[in-house]
Amino acid sequence: MKYFFCWCICALSFAIIPLNAQSKYTLSGTISEEKSNETLIGVNIIFPEISAGATTNEYGFYSITVPEGTYNIVISYLGYSTILQTITLTQDITKNFSLADALESLDEVVITENIEKLNIRAPQMSVNKLTSGTIKEIPVVLGESDIIKAITLLPGVTSAGEGASGFNVRGGAADQNLILLDEAIIYNSSHLFGFFSVFNPDAIKDLKLYKGGIPARYGGRVSSVLDIYQKEGNSKEFHVNGGIGIVSSRLLAEGPIKKDKGSFLLGGRSSYAHLFLPLFDIDNKAYFYDLNTKLSYKLNDNNNIYLSGYFGRDVFKIEDTFENTYGNAVINFRWNHLFSNKLFSNLSLIYSDYDYNLRLNFVEFDWVSGIQNFNLKYDFKHYLSNKIKLQYGINSIYYRFNPGEITPTVETSGINPFKLTNKYAFENALYLDAEHKVSDKLALSYGLRLSSFMRLGQDELNIYQNDQAVLFNNDFKIYEKAEPIGTESFKRSDVIESFYNLEPRASLSYQLNTKSSVKMSYNRMAQYIHLLSNTTSPTPLDIWTPSGKYIKPQLLDQYAIGYFKDFNDNAYSLEVESFYKDVKNRIDYIDGANLIANNAIEQVILNGKSRAYGLEVLLRKNEGRFKGWLAYTLSKSEQKTPGRTANEIGINNGNWYKTPFDKTHDISLTGSYDWNEKWKISANFLFQTGQPATFPNAQYEFNGITIPNYSDRNSDRLPSYNRLDLSLKYIPKPNKTKGWQGEWVFGFYNIYNRRNTASISFGQNDLTGQNEATRLAIFGIVPSISYNFKL
């Protein structure tokens, strides 16, 4: 804590010196949408004469300090009318701006050129930003706009396949992605096992996906950060919007609590296809529902408070034999305070909970597991000068892990109550980020995160001889579970194991000319919690577990270099990046590992390492009636777990093998065309190399039993994946801006009906006795229709 306050004191002293030495003044304020008062993230504030500028932060605040004088300023944001204004700075000025919707989303060429110079100069790389409007134009399965499906169209991002949960970034596992909703951690981003995401696009204001060059304010994962912010709500007037589809519907209401000072937002979604199943004498159920809510209030010019929440639930039931429910619940209270026109702060108190429940009526017991955390964050953004900006803060997270509990549903079930040992942990971090404009051509971003993780005391911890929970059988050349030689109990306040890591981050941008630049980045990150899963994609049954005596934290080193160029005054843009990732202590599992209801998970885990490297290309068309992008990724993702001693063979004989997330080629083409005022056409095409898999290559018989022999781990592949999606949007009254406004969306997922392989299983045909492979495909063509409205 003392280091944190030292940073604050140093930063404040630096802020005062330039004002005393030179005649410089600060222009600051907030920028919002004219109709709703919704603050806008990433708005450009440009001083063209001196090539200086700033962007609004996550709460719409900006601050820029320039020499005394009279300037033309440009306030610009895609989809809104540009503001041109003359400002005379002879003293510090606080000025708020409101942007109106633009009839045309394009502005004069000279304005676009000045704005994009700053984007080319910015040292930030490996970051993709999508707006809610862009996401809604991408055709997806079952007619529901989907954030997760949208980001898989970007370079370096893939999914495990149709109906699979989560996403993979640059060859990393799904549990290596930090997913934040209004700063709260989301542990499962999927509804209905991956068919939908948990994010209601109507409630989302902005999202950023960080694949590399990740700022020091983020930590706890080693692959990516998906940072999502909900809308604050309309503080001027009441509005309702929603959509009705074949499978699900949604409704969102927003309006003022007190006009121009406070607002509320309340949104809900639900699927209802299961209601029609009884018509076909089917007693199964599969549905989800979720709720987004947010309250915002402006106390005065320097203080704003927010209370936001999310609650979601999935239900999957097979007659009276099996019922599965799972979901996320988060709540976040935030306080924004402006200490001065150069120092902005945000204090957040966050609760996040993910739980999984399984009822097996045929064996008469319930299974419950989950993870909870309480999170305290205090962040500061300090605008020292036009050349240097700082972000610094603290973050503390308390974890409670429930690996599982079995409870009999009836007294005569014959099942004894059983509780796996709860685990507890405490994660802390201090961070400092700096953005430094060294010259007109060179810009730097650098920072340092000091993280710590303490595995706290629990009721019972196994003890093993020589601290080896996994033994190697030299006779059979296999790994086996070690038997505990005893147990040890701790008080909750005891620290079983602690870890400390310095996580440096750095990136730079060098501007070759006004239209192109090269960028480089490096970041080290530590991940202290792990998702125990030996499937190709996460399932609700997977369990989160903390690092400790037998499980080490994952450590990432990532390097990236890129070339960025604008064409024709930003009508087109090109991004080319190459990356290399090295991860230490990546969990691997011994053959035959059982992860379900395992109270000694350390007996089936070995610490290995992984690496991924590749090339990403993103070509965008940003203007005109046709807009879209082409994304291509060429990459490789591998894992290795060598033997711990010279006698051990390791996993896969200690050789590198492909991870389940390895996709050599990944191509996506996304586009939308404004046919006229009433009709818009959108389409996307995807091609991916098939997912790695392990197939049997021979068999032998032993005592009348046929035993398959398998090839090296993940040495085979499923067939390649490809599909084409198409959607048509029809707006009956495009010029209507008040009252009821509606639109129809007609969608076709996988329009040429390709039966993409989700898995291949091997077995013996009962009739012929011959061995055979069975291919499973989830989707063919899926048509959909939905009606969206707003009032």
Side-chain angles (χ1 to χ4, degrees), residues 762-780:
F762 297 85
Q764 191 176 67
N765 189 299
D766 293 335
L767 296 177
T768 65
Q770 297 295 315
N771 293 333
E772 63 181 13
T774 304
R775 183 176 65 92
L776 172 66
I778 298 178
F779 286 129

Side-chain angles (χ1 to χ4, degrees), residues 419-475:
K419 176 75 176 71
L420 300 182
T421 304
N422 283 346
K423 300 177 176 67
Y424 305 87
F426 199 30
E427 183 176 351
N428 299 286
L430 294 168
Y431 78 87
L432 173 66
D433 268 322
E435 296 179 27
H436 187 182
K437 180 184 174 184
V438 179
S439 67
D440 288 340
K441 290 184 176 293
L442 180 62
L444 304 177
S445 176
Y446 46 87
L448 182 64
R449 183 181 183 90
L450 172 60
S451 63
S452 68
F453 189 84
M454 290 173 282
R455 175 72 175 270
L456 302 179
Q458 63 188 56
D459 296 337
E460 191 175 85
L461 181 69
N462 287 335
I463 302 173
Y464 300 92
Q465 188 171 1
N466 300 322
D467 287 338
Q468 294 288 332
V470 178
L471 299 178
F472 182 69
N473 188 319
N474 201 43
D475 294 329

Side-chain angles (χ1 to χ4, degrees), residues 183-199:
E183 302 181 9
I185 300 173
I186 300 294
Y187 289 98
N188 188 332
S189 62
S190 299
H191 280 310
L192 295 183
F193 303 100
F195 293 130
F196 296 88
S197 81
V198 300
F199 306 109

Side-chain angles (χ1 to χ4, degrees), residues 650-713:
I651 303 296
N652 198 54
N653 292 316
N655 298 320
W656 288 101
Y657 66 90
K658 294 186 286 288
T659 70
F661 335 111
D662 177 69
K663 305 286 180 70
T664 306
H665 301 283
D666 178 19
I667 303 171
S668 60
L669 178 62
T670 303
S672 62
Y673 181 71
D674 296 331
W675 185 266
N676 53 40
E677 288 185 334
K678 292 187 175 183
W679 287 95
K680 174 176 285 190
I681 304 172
S682 300
N684 55 255
F685 171 78
L686 288 85
F687 173 88
Q688 294 179 355
T689 301
Q691 183 175 307
T694 307
F695 297 154
N697 57 7
Q699 67 180 36
Y700 60 93
E701 288 193 6
F702 180 76
N703 291 336
I705 300 175
T706 300
I707 301 174
N709 184 72
Y710 286 88
S711 56
D712 291 342
R713 188 176 289 195

Side-chain angles (χ1 to χ4, degrees), residues 18-276:
L19 292 176
N20 294 334
Q22 304 178 49
S23 295
K24 290 188 176 183
Y25 298 102
T26 300
L27 176 68
S28 63
T30 58
I31 299 179
S32 58
E33 189 181 50
E34 186 178 73
K35 288 183 179 179
S36 65
N37 246 7
E38 182 88 35
T39 58
L40 298 173
I41 303 172
V43 178
N44 294 289
I45 304 96
I46 310 298
F47 287 67
E49 295 97 330
I50 57 175
S51 296
T55 58
T56 54
N57 69 3
E58 291 81 2
Y59 299 91
F61 178 78
Y62 75 93
S63 177
I64 182 169
T65 301
V66 296
E68 179 180 1
T70 298
Y71 300 96
N72 294 314
I73 65 168
V74 180
I75 313 294
S76 180
Y77 192 61
L78 186 64
Y80 293 83
S81 296
T82 297
I83 295 177
L84 304 174
Q85 203 169 105
T86 301
I87 296 285
T88 299
L89 286 174
T90 57
Q91 60 181 357
D92 292 343
I93 296 177
T94 299
K95 190 170 182 61
N96 301 326
F97 295 93
S98 295
L99 298 184
D101 287 338
L103 296 177
E104 297 290 337
S105 61
L106 310 178
D107 301 300
E108 290 94 346
V109 170
V110 64
I111 296 172
T112 305
E113 180 181 3
N114 285 323
I115 291 166
E116 293 308 318
K117 284 181 182 178
L118 288 176
N119 292 336
I120 287 291
R121 268 204 305 262
Q124 192 176 72
M125 67 180 299
S126 305
V127 178
N128 295 112
K129 178 178 178 180
L130 292 178
T131 64
S132 178
T134 301
I135 293 167
K136 290 179 180 179
E137 292 178 359
I138 298 173
V140 293
V141 65
L142 302 177
E144 175 80 20
S145 297
D146 194 290
I147 285 177
I148 302 300
K149 296 293 189 299
I151 64 173
T152 59
L153 300 173
L154 298 170
V157 187
T158 63
S159 71
E162 290 172 325
S165 301
F167 58 97
N168 308 111
V169 176
R170 290 184 168 176
D175 72 309
Q176 295 175 333
N177 303 315
L178 177 64
I179 304 173
L180 301 173
L181 179 63
D182 277 350
E183 302 181 9
I185 300 173
I186 300 294
Y187 289 98
N188 188 332
S189 62
S190 299
H191 280 310
L192 295 183
F193 303 100
F195 293 130
F196 296 88
S197 81
V198 300
F199 306 109
N200 183 346
D202 289 340
I204 301 305
K205 174 164 65 173
D206 182 89
L207 73 87
K208 282 185 179 179
L209 175 67
Y210 296 84
K211 300 177 294 185
I214 300 173
R217 63 182 179 273
Y218 299 108
R221 301 294 187 276
V222 295
S223 195
S224 75
V225 177
L226 180 60
D227 197 4
I228 303 172
Y229 279 86
Q230 294 187 117
K231 294 178 180 177
E232 296 164 7
N234 193 319
S235 65
K236 289 185 175 290
E237 53 190 13
F238 179 79
H239 283 283
V240 174
N241 66 280
I244 302 172
I246 297 175
V247 175
S248 66
S249 291
R250 64 191 190 278
L251 184 69
L252 183 139
E254 56 181 327
I257 298 173
K258 184 176 181 180
K259 191 170 183 179
D260 293 328
K261 289 185 70 71
S263 64
F264 75 90
L265 179 144
L266 182 64
R269 288 190 305 168
S270 180
S271 65
Y272 41 72
H274 67 285
L275 298 178
F276 303 101

Side-chain angles (χ1 to χ4, degrees), residues 736-783:
K736 189 176 182 181
T737 58
K738 294 185 178 180
W740 186 277
Q741 303 165 62
E743 64 182 26
W744 292 91
V745 180
F746 307 91
F748 300 90
Y749 177 90
N750 193 5
I751 195 168
Y752 52 74
N753 197 35
R754 176 176 169 83
R755 307 294 293 183
N756 285 296
T757 303
S759 65
I760 296 178
S761 58
F762 297 85
Q764 191 176 67
N765 189 299
D766 293 335
L767 296 177
T768 65
Q770 297 295 315
N771 293 333
E772 63 181 13
T774 304
R775 183 176 65 92
L776 172 66
I778 298 178
F779 286 129
I781 183 173
V782 182

